[in-house]
Amino acid sequence: MTIISSHAVDVGIGDLWVRLHTTSAEFAATMAARFAGFMGQVETPDYEFTITLVPPAPEERQEDDVQVWREGSLWRMTRNDFTASWDPVARRGQAEMLLSPYSLDSLLRIVHTVMLAQEGSMLMHASSAIRNGRAYVFTGVSGAGKTTISRLAPTDVHLLTDEMSFIRRTSSGYHAYGTPFAGELARPGENIHAPLAGIFLLAQGPENRIDTLTPQEAVRGLMGNILFFAKDPQLSAAVFDAAIALANAVPVQRLTFLPDQRVWDLIGNTQ
Amino acid sequence: MTSPMYILRSPNIAARRIGGELMLMASSNASLYSLNDTAALLWDAADGNTPLDVIVGTLCAQFDVSQDVAYTDACEVVEQLAANGILQLSHAPFQTEGSTS
């Protein structure tokens, strides 16, 4: 009889727990290293994934596009480095992927986008931080200054991420959570959360200034930065509604800033 | 005599009113569109079974504008919306839920 040992790793991001199963001790160690600070043990995870490792294809596919689609009751996801399916009712999925933390990162982000949309929550291309017990999200296109504003944060600011913010709608309002998803800063955020007090669309300019936005501008700004992949009408409408609800509940403003620390004088600097 | 034109809201478009403005999102590519008042009225009326000239006639009764001018403008608007995949155009009524033909 062949006994194949199984490893299970619980990863919790944004209070959403996934149990990852693998038969590879090496991959379990890779996951543990990748998600250090976001590991734990829960009795019942929110969902489970069984990961099967596959060797790199002899001729790697050139396209790097993520494809996500609904097939019956399953979601299917594919990229050049993984294929996966996920059953949202059973809350179980399986994936074949390369032994790479980046592949797993991407898979988790995709599954989270699907799960979060159903509850009006989201992942957003944004840095975020907590100051004086309140969270602030800084979003914008690549180069707008997400990492820059994180680097400029004073010592009383707790960074949640400089790359991918996790925003959950709860019975007590919106909260921003720390994530292990790092950008140029190359370090994970703190695994803490706080009520979301403001969202800033970043622009670099000649002065530090905050401008109000119309509701339409706010929704456009959010929609341009919320992470979602599926071209599924129901899911897209849910994401659209989530952006509208968020813009109604939390101030969304444009933050123009000079790349120096004085910009933080404008942000959450009151008890 | 030209045949009547029928307009139908495309599926896979999510429409929401935000700050008094109609905003649409296409699920195929997440493109967002803001419709002006005229386009929004046409979107609301695009049931697939009411001819465009009848829709325009109803609008003319509400606004001080001639039928000919309004129809020409409406044709231009619906063609733009169709070009962006927001409306479907046809010279025959669409078979929609609740249509009698």
Side-chain angles (χ1 to χ4, degrees):
Chain A
M1 188 171 86
T2 305
I3 298 174
I4 301 173
S5 63
S6 177
H7 306 268
V9 174
D10 289 351
V11 177
I13 305 169
D15 265 351
L16 200 56
W17 284 90
V18 53
R19 181 164 295 155
L20 300 163
H21 300 273
T22 176
T23 55
S24 164
E26 185 183 5
F27 193 54
T30 300
M31 290 191 289
R34 173 66 191 91
F35 297 113
F38 292 82
M39 309 269 295
Q41 275 192 317
V42 290
E43 195 168 319
T44 310
D46 294 290
Y47 67 105
E48 299 186 55
F49 246 94
T50 301
I51 311 287
T52 304
L53 298 180
V54 293
E59 289 184 24
E60 196 167 309
R61 282 158 43 194
Q62 292 300 307
E63 71 271 23
D64 194 33
D65 283 349
V66 175
Q67 303 287 330
V68 181
W69 70 101
R70 204 193 294 257
E71 195 174 287
S73 62
L74 295 180
W75 284 96
R76 294 200 181 275
M77 307 143 199
T78 181
R79 204 174 65 172
N80 60 352
D81 53 346
F82 65 78
T83 60
S85 64
W86 183 63
D87 182 337
V89 176
R91 292 185 168 251
R92 293 189 72 90
Q94 48 193 338
E96 293 185 350
M97 63 172 59
L98 305 180
L99 198 166
S100 158
Y102 304 108
S103 303
L104 182 59
D105 250 38
S106 299
L107 177 65
L108 290 185
R109 292 185 200 196
I110 293 167
V111 175
H112 280 163
T113 62
V114 175
M115 292 183 77
L116 293 175
Q118 315 301 330
E119 61 172 49
S121 303
M122 66 206 68
L123 286 174
M124 188 182 294
H125 289 290
S127 56
S128 46
I130 296 174
R131 188 176 215 187
N132 292 323
R134 295 187 297 174
Y136 301 88
V137 166
F138 308 91
T139 190
V141 296
S142 182
K146 297 188 287 288
T147 298
T148 301
I149 205 155
S150 302
R151 281 203 181 101
L152 295 171
T155 53
D156 66 311
V157 170
H158 299 270
L159 292 181
L160 298 174
T161 175
D162 73 321
E163 166 78 2
M164 187 62 64
S165 291
F166 202 115
I167 299 170
R168 287 196 84 174
R169 185 187 202 176
T170 71
S171 56
S172 60
Y174 288 90
H175 288 244
Y177 290 75
T179 78
F181 307 127
E184 292 173 35
L185 219 50
R187 63 180 163 95
E190 292 186 53
N191 191 4
I192 53 177
H193 66 95
L196 181 55
I199 298 173
F200 296 103
L201 303 187
L202 294 177
Q204 296 195 30
E207 59 181 334
N208 293 324
R209 198 178 73 232
I210 291 176
D211 296 303
T212 57
L213 298 173
T214 65
Q216 297 89 345
E217 288 172 330
V219 170
R220 277 185 183 277
L222 296 178
M223 283 300 296
N225 292 292
I226 293 174
L227 190 69
F228 74 109
F229 303 93
K231 294 171 180 174
D232 177 82
Q234 205 178 333
L235 189 79
S236 300
V239 172
F240 194 21
D241 287 334
I244 295 167
L246 179 60
N248 278 332
V250 176
V252 181
Q253 299 168 300
R254 177 174 293 110
L255 173 62
T256 304
F257 74 106
L258 281 163
D260 70 44
Q261 203 178 43
R262 285 172 297 176
V263 64
W264 279 93
D265 294 343
L266 301 178
I267 302 159
N269 199 12
T270 52
Q271 292 289 344
Chain B
M1 181 181 162
T2 57
S3 56
M5 183 186 290
Y6 296 86
I7 59 176
L8 178 67
R9 294 181 285 272
S10 292
N12 304 338
I13 298 278
R16 303 290 185 267
R17 286 203 180 274
I18 301 167
E21 190 174 293
L22 189 64
M23 192 177 273
L24 309 183
M25 189 192 66
S27 64
S28 58
N29 55 11
S31 294
L32 291 171
Y33 305 91
S34 290
L35 300 192
N36 64 23
D37 290 346
T38 304
L41 288 167
L42 292 168
W43 166 267
D44 286 338
D47 62 7
N49 291 296
T50 308
L52 183 60
D53 58 341
V54 174
I55 294 171
V56 170
T58 306
L59 298 180
C60 287
Q62 297 174 38
F63 303 100
D64 186 20
V65 59
S66 77
Q67 172 90 14
D68 287 348
V69 170
Y71 188 76
T72 303
D73 289 349
C75 286
E76 199 174 305
V77 171
V78 298
E79 280 165 14
Q80 283 178 4
L81 295 176
N84 285 290
I86 295 169
L87 287 180
Q88 298 174 65
L89 309 184
S90 171
H91 288 293
F94 289 87
Q95 294 297 313
T96 58
E97 202 173 308
S99 62
T100 51
S101 56

mmCIF file of all heavy atoms in Angstrom, chain A residues 215-217 219-220 223-224 228 230-234 236-241 244, chain B residues 12 14-21 23-30 32-34:
data_model
loop_
_atom_site.group_PDB
_atom_site.id
_atom_site.type_symbol
_atom_site.label_atom_id
_atom_site.label_comp_id
_atom_site.label_asym_id
_atom_site.label_seq_id
_atom_site.Cartn_x
_atom_site.Cartn_y
_atom_site.Cartn_z
ATOM 1 N N PRO A 215 -20.574 61.749 -7.512
ATOM 2 C CA PRO A 215 -20.835 60.311 -7.336
ATOM 3 C C PRO A 215 -20.415 59.493 -8.549
ATOM 4 O O PRO A 215 -19.874 58.385 -8.403
ATOM 5 C CB PRO A 215 -22.352 60.259 -7.130
ATOM 6 C CG PRO A 215 -22.714 61.603 -6.598
ATOM 7 C CD PRO A 215 -21.771 62.571 -7.242
ATOM 8 N N GLN A 216 -20.620 60.053 -9.741
ATOM 9 C CA GLN A 216 -20.233 59.310 -10.953
ATOM 10 C C GLN A 216 -18.716 59.154 -11.039
ATOM 11 O O GLN A 216 -18.204 58.090 -11.405
ATOM 12 C CB GLN A 216 -20.741 60.031 -12.220
ATOM 13 C CG GLN A 216 -22.241 60.129 -12.313
ATOM 14 C CD GLN A 216 -22.782 61.383 -11.630
ATOM 15 O OE1 GLN A 216 -22.091 62.039 -10.868
ATOM 16 N NE2 GLN A 216 -24.040 61.692 -11.912
ATOM 17 N N GLU A 217 -17.996 60.238 -10.714
ATOM 18 C CA GLU A 217 -16.526 60.156 -10.748
ATOM 19 C C GLU A 217 -16.029 59.137 -9.716
ATOM 20 O O GLU A 217 -15.078 58.397 -9.981
ATOM 21 C CB GLU A 217 -15.914 61.529 -10.441
ATOM 22 C CG GLU A 217 -16.081 62.539 -11.557
ATOM 23 C CD GLU A 217 -15.647 63.939 -11.138
ATOM 24 O OE1 GLU A 217 -15.757 64.278 -9.935
ATOM 25 O OE2 GLU A 217 -15.223 64.697 -12.030
ATOM 26 N N VAL A 219 -17.632 56.474 -8.570
ATOM 27 C CA VAL A 219 -17.910 55.100 -9.031
ATOM 28 C C VAL A 219 -16.958 54.716 -10.159
ATOM 29 O O VAL A 219 -16.413 53.603 -10.180
ATOM 30 C CB VAL A 219 -19.387 54.968 -9.466
ATOM 31 C CG1 VAL A 219 -19.618 53.632 -10.158
ATOM 32 C CG2 VAL A 219 -20.310 55.111 -8.260
ATOM 33 N N ARG A 220 -16.719 55.649 -11.083
ATOM 34 C CA ARG A 220 -15.770 55.356 -12.170
ATOM 35 C C ARG A 220 -14.380 55.054 -11.603
ATOM 36 O O ARG A 220 -13.706 54.116 -12.039
ATOM 37 C CB ARG A 220 -15.667 56.554 -13.128
ATOM 38 C CG ARG A 220 -16.751 56.603 -14.152
ATOM 39 C CD ARG A 220 -16.527 57.750 -15.139
ATOM 40 N NE ARG A 220 -17.633 57.793 -16.068
ATOM 41 C CZ ARG A 220 -17.722 57.030 -17.151
ATOM 42 N NH1 ARG A 220 -16.738 56.199 -17.440
ATOM 43 N NH2 ARG A 220 -18.779 57.095 -17.943
ATOM 44 N N MET A 223 -14.503 51.588 -9.950
ATOM 45 C CA MET A 223 -14.647 50.497 -10.930
ATOM 46 C C MET A 223 -13.352 50.264 -11.709
ATOM 47 O O MET A 223 -13.057 49.152 -12.113
ATOM 48 C CB MET A 223 -15.791 50.798 -11.908
ATOM 49 C CG MET A 223 -17.187 50.560 -11.349
ATOM 50 S SD MET A 223 -17.458 48.847 -10.847
ATOM 51 C CE MET A 223 -17.309 47.991 -12.408
ATOM 52 N N GLY A 224 -12.607 51.338 -11.913
ATOM 53 C CA GLY A 224 -11.354 51.189 -12.657
ATOM 54 C C GLY A 224 -10.294 50.437 -11.876
ATOM 55 O O GLY A 224 -9.280 50.023 -12.449
ATOM 56 N N PHE A 228 -11.503 42.318 -10.781
ATOM 57 C CA PHE A 228 -12.385 41.201 -11.120
ATOM 58 C C PHE A 228 -12.081 40.741 -12.535
ATOM 59 O O PHE A 228 -11.651 41.506 -13.377
ATOM 60 C CB PHE A 228 -13.870 41.511 -10.894
ATOM 61 C CG PHE A 228 -14.532 42.417 -11.892
ATOM 62 C CD1 PHE A 228 -15.456 41.916 -12.797
ATOM 63 C CD2 PHE A 228 -14.271 43.770 -11.902
ATOM 64 C CE1 PHE A 228 -16.092 42.744 -13.698
ATOM 65 C CE2 PHE A 228 -14.895 44.614 -12.804
ATOM 66 C CZ PHE A 228 -15.810 44.096 -13.706
ATOM 67 N N ALA A 230 -13.982 37.804 -14.202
ATOM 68 C CA ALA A 230 -15.007 37.075 -14.955
ATOM 69 C C ALA A 230 -15.845 38.025 -15.796
ATOM 70 O O ALA A 230 -16.260 39.073 -15.326
ATOM 71 C CB ALA A 230 -15.899 36.315 -13.984
ATOM 72 N N LYS A 231 -16.061 37.632 -17.032
ATOM 73 C CA LYS A 231 -16.958 38.400 -17.896
ATOM 74 C C LYS A 231 -18.362 37.832 -17.766
ATOM 75 O O LYS A 231 -19.001 37.493 -18.748
ATOM 76 C CB LYS A 231 -16.448 38.352 -19.331
ATOM 77 C CG LYS A 231 -15.112 39.054 -19.501
ATOM 78 C CD LYS A 231 -14.507 38.819 -20.856
ATOM 79 C CE LYS A 231 -13.166 39.546 -20.944
ATOM 80 N NZ LYS A 231 -12.445 39.251 -22.181
ATOM 81 N N ASP A 232 -18.789 37.729 -16.536
ATOM 82 C CA ASP A 232 -20.062 37.104 -16.230
ATOM 83 C C ASP A 232 -21.054 38.215 -15.866
ATOM 84 O O ASP A 232 -20.781 39.019 -14.972
ATOM 85 C CB ASP A 232 -19.858 36.162 -15.031
ATOM 86 C CG ASP A 232 -21.151 35.519 -14.586
ATOM 87 O OD1 ASP A 232 -21.545 34.524 -15.206
ATOM 88 O OD2 ASP A 232 -21.772 36.040 -13.642
ATOM 89 N N PRO A 233 -22.201 38.286 -16.552
ATOM 90 C CA PRO A 233 -23.116 39.416 -16.337
ATOM 91 C C PRO A 233 -23.543 39.566 -14.885
ATOM 92 O O PRO A 233 -23.578 40.671 -14.343
ATOM 93 C CB PRO A 233 -24.315 39.072 -17.228
ATOM 94 C CG PRO A 233 -23.783 38.141 -18.249
ATOM 95 C CD PRO A 233 -22.671 37.376 -17.602
ATOM 96 N N GLN A 234 -23.859 38.437 -14.240
ATOM 97 C CA GLN A 234 -24.332 38.499 -12.856
ATOM 98 C C GLN A 234 -23.231 38.991 -11.910
ATOM 99 O O GLN A 234 -23.467 39.854 -11.057
ATOM 100 C CB GLN A 234 -24.778 37.101 -12.442
ATOM 101 C CG GLN A 234 -25.795 37.084 -11.330
ATOM 102 C CD GLN A 234 -26.207 35.644 -11.021
ATOM 103 O OE1 GLN A 234 -26.150 34.750 -11.882
ATOM 104 N NE2 GLN A 234 -26.614 35.404 -9.800
ATOM 105 N N SER A 236 -20.514 40.708 -12.806
ATOM 106 C CA SER A 236 -20.157 42.087 -13.147
ATOM 107 C C SER A 236 -21.142 43.060 -12.527
ATOM 108 O O SER A 236 -20.746 44.107 -11.996
ATOM 109 C CB SER A 236 -20.139 42.270 -14.667
ATOM 110 O OG SER A 236 -19.196 41.412 -15.248
ATOM 111 N N ALA A 237 -22.429 42.727 -12.579
ATOM 112 C CA ALA A 237 -23.442 43.606 -11.984
ATOM 113 C C ALA A 237 -23.249 43.686 -10.473
ATOM 114 O O ALA A 237 -23.417 44.754 -9.869
ATOM 115 C CB ALA A 237 -24.839 43.092 -12.321
ATOM 116 N N ALA A 238 -22.861 42.574 -9.861
ATOM 117 C CA ALA A 238 -22.618 42.571 -8.409
ATOM 118 C C ALA A 238 -21.442 43.476 -8.061
ATOM 119 O O ALA A 238 -21.473 44.210 -7.065
ATOM 120 C CB ALA A 238 -22.366 41.143 -7.923
ATOM 121 N N VAL A 239 -20.406 43.441 -8.889
ATOM 122 C CA VAL A 239 -19.239 44.304 -8.650
ATOM 123 C C VAL A 239 -19.631 45.776 -8.828
ATOM 124 O O VAL A 239 -19.232 46.652 -8.039
ATOM 125 C CB VAL A 239 -18.085 43.921 -9.604
ATOM 126 C CG1 VAL A 239 -16.947 44.926 -9.516
ATOM 127 C CG2 VAL A 239 -17.571 42.522 -9.279
ATOM 128 N N PHE A 240 -20.408 46.048 -9.863
ATOM 129 C CA PHE A 240 -20.898 47.416 -10.126
ATOM 130 C C PHE A 240 -21.702 47.904 -8.917
ATOM 131 O O PHE A 240 -21.481 49.012 -8.401
ATOM 132 C CB PHE A 240 -21.770 47.369 -11.380
ATOM 133 C CG PHE A 240 -22.094 48.706 -11.999
ATOM 134 C CD1 PHE A 240 -21.326 49.834 -11.764
ATOM 135 C CD2 PHE A 240 -23.186 48.819 -12.849
ATOM 136 C CE1 PHE A 240 -21.631 51.062 -12.359
ATOM 137 C CE2 PHE A 240 -23.502 50.029 -13.445
ATOM 138 C CZ PHE A 240 -22.733 51.142 -13.203
ATOM 139 N N ASP A 241 -22.608 47.085 -8.438
ATOM 140 C CA ASP A 241 -23.419 47.457 -7.265
ATOM 141 C C ASP A 241 -22.554 47.644 -6.018
ATOM 142 O O ASP A 241 -22.815 48.532 -5.206
ATOM 143 C CB ASP A 241 -24.494 46.390 -6.999
ATOM 144 C CG ASP A 241 -25.609 46.439 -8.034
ATOM 145 O OD1 ASP A 241 -25.823 47.519 -8.614
ATOM 146 O OD2 ASP A 241 -26.257 45.397 -8.264
ATOM 147 N N ILE A 244 -20.938 51.047 -6.243
ATOM 148 C CA ILE A 244 -21.912 52.116 -5.976
ATOM 149 C C ILE A 244 -22.196 52.201 -4.471
ATOM 150 O O ILE A 244 -22.221 53.292 -3.886
ATOM 151 C CB ILE A 244 -23.204 51.864 -6.778
ATOM 152 C CG1 ILE A 244 -22.924 51.972 -8.279
ATOM 153 C CG2 ILE A 244 -24.301 52.847 -6.367
ATOM 154 C CD1 ILE A 244 -24.041 51.439 -9.161
ATOM 155 N N ASN B 12 -26.729 41.790 -20.834
ATOM 156 C CA ASN B 12 -25.377 41.912 -20.281
ATOM 157 C C ASN B 12 -24.926 43.359 -20.104
ATOM 158 O O ASN B 12 -23.732 43.657 -20.145
ATOM 159 C CB ASN B 12 -24.354 41.144 -21.128
ATOM 160 C CG ASN B 12 -24.740 39.692 -21.281
ATOM 161 O OD1 ASN B 12 -25.492 39.166 -20.465
ATOM 162 N ND2 ASN B 12 -24.262 39.065 -22.331
ATOM 163 N N ALA B 14 -25.502 46.333 -17.329
ATOM 164 C CA ALA B 14 -26.089 46.701 -16.030
ATOM 165 C C ALA B 14 -26.299 48.206 -16.026
ATOM 166 O O ALA B 14 -25.377 48.962 -16.355
ATOM 167 C CB ALA B 14 -25.156 46.295 -14.897
ATOM 168 N N ALA B 15 -27.503 48.641 -15.733
ATOM 169 C CA ALA B 15 -27.827 50.073 -15.731
ATOM 170 C C ALA B 15 -28.198 50.508 -14.313
ATOM 171 O O ALA B 15 -29.026 49.866 -13.664
ATOM 172 C CB ALA B 15 -28.979 50.331 -16.685
ATOM 173 N N ARG B 16 -27.577 51.556 -13.842
ATOM 174 C CA ARG B 16 -27.862 52.062 -12.496
ATOM 175 C C ARG B 16 -27.918 53.592 -12.547
ATOM 176 O O ARG B 16 -27.131 54.217 -13.264
ATOM 177 C CB ARG B 16 -26.752 51.647 -11.516
ATOM 178 C CG ARG B 16 -26.497 50.159 -11.408
ATOM 179 C CD ARG B 16 -27.619 49.406 -10.728
ATOM 180 N NE ARG B 16 -27.292 48.005 -10.535
ATOM 181 C CZ ARG B 16 -27.608 47.020 -11.388
ATOM 182 N NH1 ARG B 16 -28.274 47.311 -12.507
ATOM 183 N NH2 ARG B 16 -27.284 45.773 -11.121
ATOM 184 N N ARG B 17 -28.816 54.183 -11.765
ATOM 185 C CA ARG B 17 -28.860 55.644 -11.655
ATOM 186 C C ARG B 17 -27.951 56.059 -10.510
ATOM 187 O O ARG B 17 -28.088 55.596 -9.386
ATOM 188 C CB ARG B 17 -30.279 56.125 -11.407
ATOM 189 C CG ARG B 17 -31.120 56.021 -12.649
ATOM 190 C CD ARG B 17 -32.319 56.945 -12.677
ATOM 191 N NE ARG B 17 -33.032 56.732 -13.936
ATOM 192 C CZ ARG B 17 -32.730 57.337 -15.068
ATOM 193 N NH1 ARG B 17 -31.782 58.248 -15.089
ATOM 194 N NH2 ARG B 17 -33.385 57.063 -16.182
ATOM 195 N N ILE B 18 -27.013 56.944 -10.832
ATOM 196 C CA ILE B 18 -26.047 57.403 -9.832
ATOM 197 C C ILE B 18 -26.042 58.926 -9.863
ATOM 198 O O ILE B 18 -25.725 59.528 -10.900
ATOM 199 C CB ILE B 18 -24.636 56.863 -10.144
ATOM 200 C CG1 ILE B 18 -24.659 55.330 -10.166
ATOM 201 C CG2 ILE B 18 -23.632 57.376 -9.119
ATOM 202 C CD1 ILE B 18 -23.434 54.705 -10.755
ATOM 203 N N GLY B 19 -26.408 59.539 -8.759
ATOM 204 C CA GLY B 19 -26.418 60.996 -8.704
ATOM 205 C C GLY B 19 -27.278 61.608 -9.788
ATOM 206 O O GLY B 19 -26.908 62.625 -10.370
ATOM 207 N N GLY B 20 -28.399 60.979 -10.098
ATOM 208 C CA GLY B 20 -29.314 61.526 -11.101
ATOM 209 C C GLY B 20 -28.898 61.231 -12.528
ATOM 210 O O GLY B 20 -29.530 61.701 -13.484
ATOM 211 N N GLU B 21 -27.833 60.477 -12.712
ATOM 212 C CA GLU B 21 -27.358 60.170 -14.062
ATOM 213 C C GLU B 21 -27.432 58.659 -14.288
ATOM 214 O O GLU B 21 -27.205 57.883 -13.364
ATOM 215 C CB GLU B 21 -25.905 60.642 -14.170
ATOM 216 C CG GLU B 21 -25.342 60.615 -15.569
ATOM 217 C CD GLU B 21 -23.945 61.230 -15.586
ATOM 218 O OE1 GLU B 21 -23.816 62.448 -15.350
ATOM 219 O OE2 GLU B 21 -22.988 60.473 -15.820
ATOM 220 N N MET B 23 -25.901 55.425 -15.494
ATOM 221 C CA MET B 23 -24.590 54.872 -15.825
ATOM 222 C C MET B 23 -24.766 53.407 -16.191
ATOM 223 O O MET B 23 -25.496 52.684 -15.521
ATOM 224 C CB MET B 23 -23.641 55.022 -14.626
ATOM 225 C CG MET B 23 -22.194 54.744 -14.962
ATOM 226 S SD MET B 23 -21.076 55.024 -13.542
ATOM 227 C CE MET B 23 -20.734 56.750 -13.722
ATOM 228 N N LEU B 24 -24.117 52.993 -17.255
ATOM 229 C CA LEU B 24 -24.217 51.614 -17.730
ATOM 230 C C LEU B 24 -22.851 50.946 -17.662
ATOM 231 O O LEU B 24 -21.823 51.592 -17.876
ATOM 232 C CB LEU B 24 -24.696 51.564 -19.182
ATOM 233 C CG LEU B 24 -25.953 52.343 -19.579
ATOM 234 C CD1 LEU B 24 -26.273 52.090 -21.049
ATOM 235 C CD2 LEU B 24 -27.127 51.936 -18.720
ATOM 236 N N MET B 25 -22.875 49.656 -17.427
ATOM 237 C CA MET B 25 -21.640 48.889 -17.481
ATOM 238 C C MET B 25 -21.833 47.652 -18.345
ATOM 239 O O MET B 25 -22.796 46.896 -18.152
ATOM 240 C CB MET B 25 -21.182 48.449 -16.102
ATOM 241 C CG MET B 25 -19.781 47.835 -16.184
ATOM 242 S SD MET B 25 -19.280 46.979 -14.690
ATOM 243 C CE MET B 25 -20.413 45.645 -14.677
ATOM 244 N N ALA B 26 -20.943 47.476 -19.306
ATOM 245 C CA ALA B 26 -20.973 46.286 -20.159
ATOM 246 C C ALA B 26 -20.184 45.180 -19.478
ATOM 247 O O ALA B 26 -19.011 45.364 -19.145
ATOM 248 C CB ALA B 26 -20.366 46.604 -21.514
ATOM 249 N N SER B 27 -20.837 44.038 -19.270
ATOM 250 C CA SER B 27 -20.142 42.961 -18.552
ATOM 251 C C SER B 27 -19.039 42.336 -19.397
ATOM 252 O O SER B 27 -18.121 41.719 -18.861
ATOM 253 C CB SER B 27 -21.129 41.886 -18.111
ATOM 254 O OG SER B 27 -21.707 41.270 -19.221
ATOM 255 N N SER B 28 -19.107 42.516 -20.718
ATOM 256 C CA SER B 28 -18.106 41.871 -21.577
ATOM 257 C C SER B 28 -16.712 42.443 -21.361
ATOM 258 O O SER B 28 -15.721 41.725 -21.445
ATOM 259 C CB SER B 28 -18.501 42.025 -23.045
ATOM 260 O OG SER B 28 -18.632 43.394 -23.356
ATOM 261 N N ASN B 29 -16.640 43.751 -21.075
ATOM 262 C CA ASN B 29 -15.317 44.357 -20.922
ATOM 263 C C ASN B 29 -15.258 45.381 -19.794
ATOM 264 O O ASN B 29 -14.275 46.114 -19.678
ATOM 265 C CB ASN B 29 -14.884 45.022 -22.237
ATOM 266 C CG ASN B 29 -15.908 46.023 -22.725
ATOM 267 O OD1 ASN B 29 -16.850 46.374 -21.992
ATOM 268 N ND2 ASN B 29 -15.736 46.498 -23.939
ATOM 269 N N ALA B 30 -16.330 45.444 -18.985
ATOM 270 C CA ALA B 30 -16.399 46.360 -17.832
ATOM 271 C C ALA B 30 -16.346 47.831 -18.244
ATOM 272 O O ALA B 30 -16.050 48.696 -17.418
ATOM 273 C CB ALA B 30 -15.319 46.053 -16.807
ATOM 274 N N LEU B 32 -17.640 51.485 -18.898
ATOM 275 C CA LEU B 32 -18.695 52.282 -18.272
ATOM 276 C C LEU B 32 -19.140 53.370 -19.245
ATOM 277 O O LEU B 32 -18.325 53.948 -19.963
ATOM 278 C CB LEU B 32 -18.172 52.935 -17.000
ATOM 279 C CG LEU B 32 -17.869 52.003 -15.831
ATOM 280 C CD1 LEU B 32 -17.156 52.768 -14.734
ATOM 281 C CD2 LEU B 32 -19.154 51.377 -15.302
ATOM 282 N N TYR B 33 -20.428 53.640 -19.250
ATOM 283 C CA TYR B 33 -20.987 54.693 -20.094
ATOM 284 C C TYR B 33 -21.925 55.540 -19.245
ATOM 285 O O TYR B 33 -22.712 55.003 -18.458
ATOM 286 C CB TYR B 33 -21.788 54.100 -21.258
ATOM 287 C CG TYR B 33 -21.010 53.125 -22.112
ATOM 288 C CD1 TYR B 33 -21.018 51.759 -21.805
ATOM 289 C CD2 TYR B 33 -20.275 53.559 -23.203
ATOM 290 C CE1 TYR B 33 -20.293 50.855 -22.576
ATOM 291 C CE2 TYR B 33 -19.555 52.659 -23.977
ATOM 292 C CZ TYR B 33 -19.569 51.309 -23.665
ATOM 293 O OH TYR B 33 -18.864 50.426 -24.430
ATOM 294 N N SER B 34 -21.853 56.846 -19.425
ATOM 295 C CA SER B 34 -22.834 57.737 -18.805
ATOM 296 C C SER B 34 -23.734 58.255 -19.916
ATOM 297 O O SER B 34 -23.242 58.766 -20.930
ATOM 298 C CB SER B 34 -22.137 58.911 -18.118
ATOM 299 O OG SER B 34 -21.447 58.463 -16.985
#
